[in-house]
Amino acid sequence: MDELPQLFNVLAGDMSLVGVRPEVERFVDCYTPEMMATLLLPAGMTSPASLVFREEEKLLWKEEDVEKAYREKLLPQKMELNLEYIRNFSLAQDIKIILKTAAATLEFMGKTLCGRKKYAEVPVYNEERFIPKDQPEEAAQQE
């Protein structure tokens, strides 16, 4: 429901369904020149980075300095995905991202409605390139 205003922005032409999710200004200030390319396109409701890091709070919950950890660990990985998305832009890719977003949303809703959402668990992402570097390999294999 919190995405409803964004859907209105898509219908108005101010956003796209798929595209790079905007960062807050203090993180944009950290962008490299290459990362600045992500600001040239309309913001999207979903993206490959938003799928991979859809529960990023789980990656950051043990960090002493959450903002520093985000800036130094997650942001570079998110931007790598964003730039890869821009370089390989296609309608087929966008359709695939929309379908993955729908599946992730339904999975999240199912877990939430069934009471299986456990925020205290250590996060593991099965996207092979984006497993937190300080996480043991065997934990990455568990998902």
Side-chain angles (χ1 to χ4, degrees):
M1 275 319 240
D2 59 337
E3 302 291 331
L4 197 56
Q6 291 182 10
L7 188 55
F8 291 127
N9 288 334
V10 169
L11 295 173
D14 298 329
M15 287 181 74
S16 62
L17 281 175
V18 180
V20 176
R21 299 281 297 179
E23 290 288 344
V24 294
E25 191 173 338
R26 68 180 178 274
F27 296 124
V28 173
D29 292 341
C30 302
Y31 280 13
T32 65
E34 184 182 30
M35 292 175 180
M36 291 292 186
T38 63
L39 302 175
L40 298 174
L41 301 173
M45 287 184 65
T46 188
S47 70
S50 65
L51 285 168
V52 171
F53 294 101
R54 66 186 171 272
E55 295 177 334
E56 68 187 32
E57 70 278 359
K58 286 183 171 185
L59 293 172
L60 298 169
W61 72 281
K62 287 199 275 184
E63 297 289 342
E64 284 185 37
D65 186 341
V66 172
E67 190 161 314
K68 180 180 179 189
Y70 180 84
R71 188 176 55 250
E72 294 177 1
K73 295 178 183 179
L74 295 188
L75 184 62
Q77 292 182 51
K78 288 172 88 173
M79 294 309 293
E80 180 183 333
L81 282 169
N82 289 336
L83 291 167
E84 189 176 308
Y85 166 76
I86 291 171
R87 282 187 217 106
N88 300 307
F89 173 78
S90 72
L91 180 59
Q93 178 180 246
D94 279 5
I95 292 170
K96 186 176 175 182
I97 293 167
I98 290 168
L99 293 174
K100 283 185 172 187
T101 300
T105 302
L106 291 173
E107 177 187 357
F108 175 80
M109 289 171 53
K111 285 180 181 180
T112 303
L113 293 174
C114 295
R116 294 188 308 234
K117 193 82 174 149
K118 298 176 183 170
Y119 285 100
E121 293 176 357
V122 175
V124 178
Y125 289 98
N126 62 3
E127 287 80 356
E128 56 282 342
R129 291 185 307 172
F130 300 100
I131 294 171
K133 299 200 183 349
D134 59 342
Q135 186 173 344
E137 284 245 353
E138 59 274 5
Q141 303 290 322
Q142 290 176 2
E143 181 133 318

